[in-house]
Amino acid sequence: MATETDEFLAEVLPAQRAAEQAIHNGDVEPRLALWSRRDPVTVYGAKLSGSGWTDLEPMFRTVASWFSDSQEYEFEVVAAGASGDLAYTVGYERNKVHVEGKPRVYTLRVTHVYRREDGHWRIVHRHADYPPDTDTEVKAR
């Protein structure tokens, strides 16, 4: 029998992985579809941070404009949990992509918080940064 966390991951991860692959190809729309429009929503990003949907939507569009030609994207879940209408994931995003026209390979450690709204899981928080054992600069390859 599947746990609440298993059911959450089965529902959320395929769409989230597809949305992140899309944003790394310059398409922001799938990411926007996964996010709550209800405050509070927050991002503490590796380059940009913001709070409130009026900040986040244009920020996500800016981020999408940086990326193209995603060759590889992986989201490795290290920990996850779901209880009632709240859930979280913690893991690593690994990317091989063009950033502002230059090939890059990098890893981010990421945390997402989700809230169930009207029967659907929506992201309400993202934190992403470089792991402490790597350079803070993305690497060219």
Side-chain angles (χ1 to χ4, degrees):
M1 187 156 119
T3 68
E4 195 171 1
T5 299
D6 293 335
E7 291 172 359
F8 158 74
L9 290 172
E11 179 180 338
V12 167
L13 284 183
Q16 187 169 342
R17 285 180 171 132
E20 291 305 306
Q21 181 78 50
I23 203 168
H24 288 94
N25 277 310
D27 180 5
V28 71
E29 296 304 323
R31 180 185 270 194
L32 296 178
L34 296 180
W35 275 77
S36 174
R37 303 309 195 264
R38 298 179 193 166
D39 287 334
V41 290
T42 52
V43 170
Y44 299 139
K47 285 196 167 200
L48 297 175
S49 296
S51 64
W53 187 247
T54 57
D55 286 349
L56 297 192
E57 182 180 9
M59 183 178 70
F60 289 152
R61 292 184 186 283
T62 296
V63 169
S65 75
W66 298 338
F67 294 108
S68 63
D69 191 29
S70 177
Q71 297 169 9
E72 292 177 31
Y73 170 80
E74 176 189 348
F75 177 44
E76 173 193 355
V77 176
V78 174
S83 180
D85 290 334
L86 291 174
Y88 73 93
T89 57
V90 177
Y92 292 98
E93 289 182 343
R94 294 181 181 86
N95 290 286
K96 185 176 181 181
V97 64
H98 281 77
V99 180
E100 297 179 326
K102 297 177 185 173
R104 301 282 189 236
V105 175
Y106 65 93
T107 298
L108 294 176
R109 59 184 182 174
V110 296
T111 301
H112 291 95
V113 178
Y114 309 79
R115 181 172 57 222
R116 194 179 349 237
E117 298 177 351
D118 303 321
H120 301 282
W121 288 107
R122 298 291 179 229
I123 301 170
V124 296
H125 176 74
R126 173 183 167 89
H127 176 259
D129 65 6
Y130 296 99
D133 60 343
T134 62
D135 295 334
T136 57
E137 297 294 318
V138 291
K139 301 192 183 277
R141 185 183 251 183

